[in-house]
Amino acid sequence: MKVVFAGTPEFAAVALRSLIDAGFAVPLVLTQPDRPAGRGMQLQASSVKQVALAHGIEVLQPLSLRMDARDPQRAEEAKAAHERLLATDYDVMVVAAYGLILPRSTLDIKPCINIHGSLLPRWRGAAPIHRAIESGDQETGVTIMEMEEGLDTGPMLLMERLPILDTDTTGSLHDKLAAMGGRMIVEALQRMADGGLTAEPQPEEGVTYAAKISKEEAKLDLRRPALELARKVRAFNPFPGAHAQAGGIVVKFWNAQAVTGAGQPGQVLSADAQGVVVACGEGALRLTELQKPGGKRLAAGEFLKGFPLDGLSFE
């Protein structure tokens, strides 16, 4: 089978590498435009683009795929991309974390299937890994589905489950699910080629939406229960990084566990090499990895050498 691939971040790049390694022909890749990144804010190619260029694959980076876009440039780029797709010899489009909506005009060219990092219909939308951890889900997984115009509403082709460990962060869970998705998409295409894959409609019950993560919600409200806040710390690692202020300084929290403890929310109950224990609305958080602005992520003991917290409170 010949595959057009559409995706942008590392989650998608893992799948693209898997397809290439499995011997699928990939004549064309779509990915988002280069974005400024790093301290110098230099334009940086997406992870998917880097993989494509390393394998000599043609890359398109339209701002939109909607030919009816109000912005003339977006509409023109969408038209050019549509024409390029029509001229490309391919059997299926595989989509993973692309970041652009595929309009009906694109979906109608050839079958489109998606790699989604959740157990649909739970956590449709942009941030399924973050939201699964934040909500305390016991398991997640990957769903391979047929695409339609609705947001992650298409029929399911394959699904595999994965337990969420108490130590999982969005970063660690992302890597597990990316590897799973790469393996599953190869299996799905091989079974499609053999005519051995049947689509099933998603259940009508249990639909939830994983809204995009905003930087504002990473500020912890220490009046909340410690169990809830510990999940947020894990969910927002590595982005955007849970945080609170102490002594007028924003401190990011990268690892934390809920422990017993009582005091005014935000009060530092103890601070040593074992961690910084902060009172919450219910219980307390033991912070074991912290970071000051412009500094490195440090274990609690090392952090305290440069930023003593005695007598301070987080707010």
Side-chain angles (χ1 to χ4, degrees), residues 189-274:
L189 293 184
Q190 290 171 339
R191 289 175 60 179
M192 285 178 64
D194 296 335
L197 201 58
T198 302
E200 297 182 3
Q202 293 187 31
E204 295 183 2
E205 299 294 326
V207 175
T208 55
Y209 291 93
K212 185 177 179 179
I213 300 297
S214 68
K215 291 184 178 180
E216 289 74 22
E217 63 185 304
K219 185 181 187 305
L220 296 187
D221 180 354
L222 293 164
R223 296 169 297 179
R224 304 297 302 166
L227 280 171
E228 176 185 318
L229 296 176
R231 293 198 303 264
K232 285 183 178 290
V233 171
R234 292 163 49 218
F236 299 151
N237 179 352
F239 175 85
H243 63 270
Q245 284 193 23
I249 303 296
V250 175
V251 179
K252 285 192 173 183
F253 310 144
W254 295 111
N255 275 299
Q257 301 85 39
V259 296
T260 57
Q264 290 297 314
Q267 179 185 354
V268 176
L269 302 178
S270 65
D272 54 35
Q274 303 305 310

Side-chain angles (χ1 to χ4, degrees), residues 91-126:
D91 302 296
V92 63
M93 177 183 285
V94 171
V95 182
Y98 180 26
L100 292 184
I101 295 173
L102 270 60
R104 172 53 57 189
S105 57
T106 301
L107 296 172
D108 283 345
I109 299 175
K110 291 289 174 68
C112 297
I113 61 176
N114 179 250
I115 308 168
H116 187 74
S118 81
L119 301 173
L120 290 171
R122 185 157 178 79
W123 302 127
R124 294 173 178 173

Side-chain angles (χ1 to χ4, degrees), residues 135-168:
S135 296
D137 290 5
Q138 297 299 302
E139 65 175 359
T140 185
V142 170
T143 305
I144 308 294
M145 67 172 183
E146 295 179 351
M147 294 191 70
E148 53 186 31
E149 288 186 282
L151 178 63
D152 299 326
T153 58
M156 303 179 296
L157 297 166
L158 280 180
M159 178 184 288
E160 286 193 20
R161 298 176 180 273
L162 181 73
I164 299 177
L165 306 179
D166 290 341
T167 55
D168 270 325

